[in-house]
Structures are given as C-alpha cells and as structure tokens.
Amino acid sequence: MLKLKISQSQYKARRTRLLQQLPSDSVVVLPAATHLHRNADAEYPFRQNSDFYYLTGFNEPDGLLLLLPGRPEGEYILICQPRDPAMEVWTGYRAGPEGCCEVYGADQAFVLGEADEKLPELLDGRRSLYYPMGQSTAFDQRVQAWLATLRKRVRQGCEPPEALLQIDSLLHEMRLIKDDEEVAVMSAAADISAAAHVKAMQQCRPGMMEYMLEACIMHHCAMQGARFQAYSPIVGGGENGCILHYIENSAPLCDGDLVLIDAGCELDCYASDITRTFPVNGRFNEQQRALYELVLDTQLQCIEAIRPGVPWNDIHDLSVRVITAGLIRLGLLSGDLDELIASEAYRPFYMHRSGHWLGMDVHDVGSYKQQGEWRPLEPGMVLTVEPGIYVAPDNEAVEPHWRGIGIRIEDDVLVTPEGHTVLTAAAPKSVEAIERLMREAQ
Ligand code: GLY
Ligand code: MN
Ligand code: MN
C-alpha cells in the first residue's frame, strides 16, 4: 500500500516561507472545509480545503488557521474541534488542541467554541488582515462579525485591522511552484492513474457499459490507496466523447466506436488528470485513426515545446495551429491556415484550452497572466496538455463518416530546468501501443 504523504517538516517550511513574505503587523486567517451534507443523515466524503491543507496537513473539518508574524506567544495557531470521546465513537479520532500542537506543530491551539472570543483578540492591533475573500459567504460574514466586535471595543483601546487583503495571490503563487515532495506525491498519483487507464484498455469489450470502465478505474486507484478521484471520471463512448464534461457514464460501449476516458485519482490531496481515447473493439477505423493521429501529433508537439521561459499561451496557440492545419489536410476545414486561425474556424472542433495548472486542485490555482502578459513557464510548475477534436454528431459541414468522433489525449507535465518531464507517460497513447495492448488482453 502506498503511504506517500507530504511531511510535517515540509508544511512547516511552507508556513515559514509565507510568514517571511507577510508584513510584520499582519495576520492571516484561513478556514478549514466543512462536511457537506448529501441527503438525510448522509454526508459527502470529507475533503479538506486545499489552502488550509497546504499549510497544515491537518485533515479535520471546521477549524481555523492563523499566522501572526512576530507574535511572542507563537506565530502559528490552530483552532480545532474539541476532544469528545462520545462523539469520537461516532465520527472518529480528533487531534484536539493538544494534538494540534504535538502532531501538527501549532504554537498554540484552541477549540472551536472559543473562536468567536479569541479571534477579535488575535486580530486586535494587526494592521492588515489577509483571508480568502469572497470564497464563502459564511466565512466572509464571520470575519465581518469579528471585526464588528473589535470596532465596538475601540474606546477600550482596541485597534481593528485597517486593510482587508486577499490572501490568494501570495499563497497561490507558492502552490503554483511544486517542491520535491509535491512532485513525488503527484508522480505517485500519476502512476496509479496511468495504470488504471491501462487496466481500462485491457478490460474494455463491446457490449460493456461506460460505468464498468469507470468502476475499473476507480477500483484500481482505490486498491492502491487512492480512494478518491480528483474529479468525477468521464467515460464517454461514441458520440458521448464529444460532450466535454460527460459524467453520466451510463451508455453501452459499442463495437466500432471510440471511448474517451478522462479520469485521475487524488493522493494526499494532490490531483492527477489523464485522458485516453481508444477503440472499444481494440482497432481504430480509418477516420478515427486519422483524427487520433492528428490529436496525438498536436499533443506531442505541445509537450515538446514545454520548457522554462516559454509563455503559457504559446502552448495553446501551437495546439490551435497544428489542429487547424490538420483539419485542412483531412478536408474538415478549407481555406487559408492563418485566416482560419484568425476567424477561429477550429472552434466547432476544438473549443477548450490546451491545458491548465495542476496541483492540489485539478484546475489548480496560480495566475496565467502577470501584468497583462501570459506568464513564462518556470521549473516546478505542473500543467496538463490536453488537446482534443470533437466532431459533433449533427455537424453537417463535414462528411457523415467524421461525425460523432470525440478524441482527447491528456498528460500531466512537470516543467524542469532542462525542459519537462511527463508524469503520466506510463499510459500508452500511440495507435500501435494501444492496439497491441488491447490485442494482447483479448
Ligand atoms: N478533467 C478535467 C480536465 O481535464 O480539465
Ligand atoms: Mn485537465
Ligand atoms: Mn482531464
């Protein structure tokens, strides 16, 4: 079983790095996630807030993290659920304030019941307050209530913060550049997901249902210790592959169709994100193969272009150029390449971006532009490269044999000082490799 986790020393190093960037008279407050109700007495599985987890590794709901640079009694405070043996029988072990200090390295810890008393005291005298503004109305209102309490106490000498600041840019800039431990966890998640895609290719047969391949993927990941997927798996057979976020996964897989699987597990709150498209019966037909080779050629060229210094959008622009040229060559578009790119004639076939940042969130945080310019890639960034071609079943502008084919190929790519590493390379993607794998599994 895989037990790969970010170490507590790494969490500490992150807090130190953030504290060093904060003004000395500031305070940061971050909320943990809360349990989400599903129906009746059932809840969704708990998933910690990514920002909160990034700085703590603490996986309990409803707490608060405070960072107070230079505070003599301690700079790192956790507010947590109280120990409660009667409740813990039902919902499991809680660290409590003692555990927060001993295990999670907090300088001080308080229980949630004390939060509304402690917070105004802790904010008092701090000039600027950083928090995730506008993420949750409930949290925004709690912050306002703490500030209102402080304002009522100004005649007693209290000094409420004067500046309310968004924490996102500081924290998300840190999250965008992955450290070695993050790369190790993301590589492990990528390996598990790649092997899951191999299993799905091996088990696929005409007549199976889309949800059976979903189950195959989820089973493999869970058996490796990755119980949760980073997002709802997409398994689209035939024309369902043209629906970008198809998660119904309820149709039969038909002989002669392709199936598109976009699925990736999460490990210690880090995502993987892989798409593979392959023939249900193990053999591409002529049109499927032609479009597939075009998407693959696009994806390989885009990956090849990844290295430090290349502006983010160059990768997308390259994908547009290669796809548009290929669609002209195959007769799905006609006209001058530059004019077709300028008029976005490719958009009925390729309507999404070439990728996104990847990290704790599948569409991860971090800006794509800086001062109005697409930012250059830097070592430690992880991005997906996922071009696709989707020919709508009702696209009457193309010959009928192209219609209803949906193809996307997606890998997770780490930017390195020398260029890049494909974290998800273990999932085969050449026509030959896929056909061989599926033939040998018959
Ligand atoms: N799986 C979501 C995406 O590829 O962006
Ligand atoms: Mn993606
Ligand atoms: Mn994806």
Side-chain angles (χ1 to χ4, degrees):
M1 285 304 137
L2 218 110
K3 280 272 183 279
L4 198 53
K5 280 177 95 66
I6 304 290
S7 66
Q8 270 302 319
S9 61
Q10 190 64 354
Y11 289 115
K12 181 168 188 209
R14 294 171 181 175
R15 290 191 297 272
T16 303
R17 217 150 17 102
L18 180 56
L19 277 160
Q20 283 165 351
Q21 295 176 64
L22 293 169
S24 58
D25 54 0
S26 65
V27 52
V28 171
V29 187
L30 284 179
T34 196
H35 266 302
L36 288 180
H37 187 76
R38 185 172 185 271
N39 65 301
D41 284 342
E43 285 167 341
Y44 287 104
F46 179 70
R47 168 57 157 81
Q48 188 56 283
N49 175 283
S50 297
D51 286 336
F52 184 91
Y53 198 69
Y54 181 78
L55 293 172
T56 63
F58 184 48
N59 201 34
E60 291 187 24
D62 298 328
L64 294 167
L65 151 75
L66 283 91
L67 292 176
L68 301 114
R71 180 170 173 269
E73 308 90 312
E75 296 181 305
Y76 170 35
I77 297 180
L78 277 176
I79 299 189
C80 63
Q81 303 176 107
R83 292 299 311 269
D84 181 345
M87 272 310 290
E88 287 175 45
V89 168
W90 291 86
T91 56
Y93 173 77
R94 296 174 176 180
E98 229 169 81
C100 282
C101 294
E102 277 170 22
V103 181
Y104 298 97
D107 297 316
Q108 281 185 311
F110 305 103
V111 294
L112 282 166
E114 297 177 279
D116 289 335
E117 178 196 326
K118 287 284 173 206
L119 258 291
E121 288 172 18
L122 291 164
L123 301 187
D124 184 14
R126 297 270 153 184
R127 216 186 83 75
S128 46
L129 164 60
Y130 289 85
Y131 71 103
M133 229 179 259
Q135 243 178 47
S136 132
T137 312
F139 187 65
D140 285 345
Q141 285 171 350
R142 278 184 89 187
V143 171
Q144 290 306 326
W146 297 326
L147 295 174
T149 302
L150 265 185
R151 279 195 296 272
K152 282 186 206 142
R153 296 183 191 159
V154 286
R155 280 175 300 282
Q156 299 156 38
C158 284
E159 296 177 276
E162 290 169 8
L164 305 186
L165 297 162
Q166 184 62 280
I167 183 67
D168 291 10
S169 43
L170 277 177
L171 197 48
H172 295 175
E173 200 57 29
M174 287 174 62
R175 279 179 54 189
L176 178 56
I177 308 296
K178 275 67 181 176
D179 58 51
D180 290 349
E181 289 194 23
E182 289 177 293
V183 170
V185 174
M186 291 186 74
S187 301
D191 282 343
I192 293 171
S193 299
H197 279 261
V198 169
K199 284 250 150 87
M201 288 178 194
Q202 289 171 324
Q203 292 188 11
C204 185
R205 302 282 183 280
M208 281 174 70
M209 305 296 284
E210 292 165 340
Y211 55 73
M212 294 178 181
L213 293 186
E214 178 183 25
C216 166
I217 295 260
M218 291 172 68
H219 176 263
H220 177 82
C221 296
M223 291 298 281
Q224 303 304 306
R227 282 185 60 214
F228 302 112
Q229 296 289 303
Y231 51 93
S232 300
I234 295 167
V235 182
E239 58 190 51
N240 290 336
C242 298
I243 304 170
L244 297 181
H245 288 169
Y246 174 80
I247 53 170
E248 241 179 86
N249 303 351
S250 59
L253 294 163
C254 301
D255 201 352
D257 280 350
L258 296 178
V259 56
L260 181 157
I261 302 182
D262 183 345
C265 69
E266 182 175 273
L267 203 58
D268 201 21
C269 285
Y270 283 88
S272 55
D273 185 7
I274 303 182
T275 308
R276 289 292 182 267
T277 309
F278 56 90
V280 169
N281 66 13
R283 289 174 311 281
F284 288 86
N285 72 24
E286 189 187 330
Q287 287 75 32
Q288 291 165 349
R289 186 182 180 117
L291 288 179
Y292 187 91
E293 297 280 21
L294 172 54
V295 177
L296 183 58
D297 180 39
T298 308
Q299 205 235 12
L300 292 172
Q301 288 197 45
C302 288
I303 291 173
E304 212 36 54
I306 291 175
R307 72 190 93 83
V310 171
W312 159 264
N313 211 47
D314 281 16
I315 310 300
H316 179 71
D317 288 345
L318 177 60
S319 71
V320 164
R321 180 157 290 271
V322 181
I323 283 178
T324 307
L327 291 174
I328 297 171
R329 198 172 61 246
L330 295 173
L332 283 90
L333 286 176
S334 57
D336 173 74
L337 176 61
D338 289 319
E339 281 172 20
L340 291 173
I341 290 173
S343 66
E344 300 191 343
Y346 56 85
R347 282 190 72 93
F349 304 99
Y350 179 39
M351 60 297 280
H352 58 73
R353 308 280 307 171
S354 66
H356 48 83
W357 305 135
L358 185 73
M360 300 186 82
D361 298 316
V362 64
H363 291 178
D364 206 30
V365 295
S367 67
Y368 291 86
K369 273 191 171 179
Q370 287 176 320
Q371 281 101 42
E373 300 291 330
W374 294 109
R375 71 186 298 167
L377 298 177
E378 292 172 47
M381 290 174 165
V382 180
L383 63 152
T384 67
V385 181
E386 50 178 305
I389 294 178
Y390 315 88
V391 188
D394 59 355
N395 185 339
E396 299 199 347
V398 301
E399 289 184 76
H401 56 234
W402 296 113
R403 294 178 200 162
I405 297 178
I407 297 165
R408 176 165 66 257
I409 305 172
E410 174 174 30
D411 281 300
D412 305 342
V413 182
L414 167 71
V415 184
T416 63
E418 301 76 32
H420 61 264
T421 303
V422 181
L423 302 180
T424 44
K429 58 184 176 182
S430 73
V431 165
E432 295 69 31
I434 289 173
E435 289 192 343
R436 186 177 343 109
L437 179 74
M438 294 185 74
R439 194 167 54 244
E440 286 169 1
Q442 289 297 316

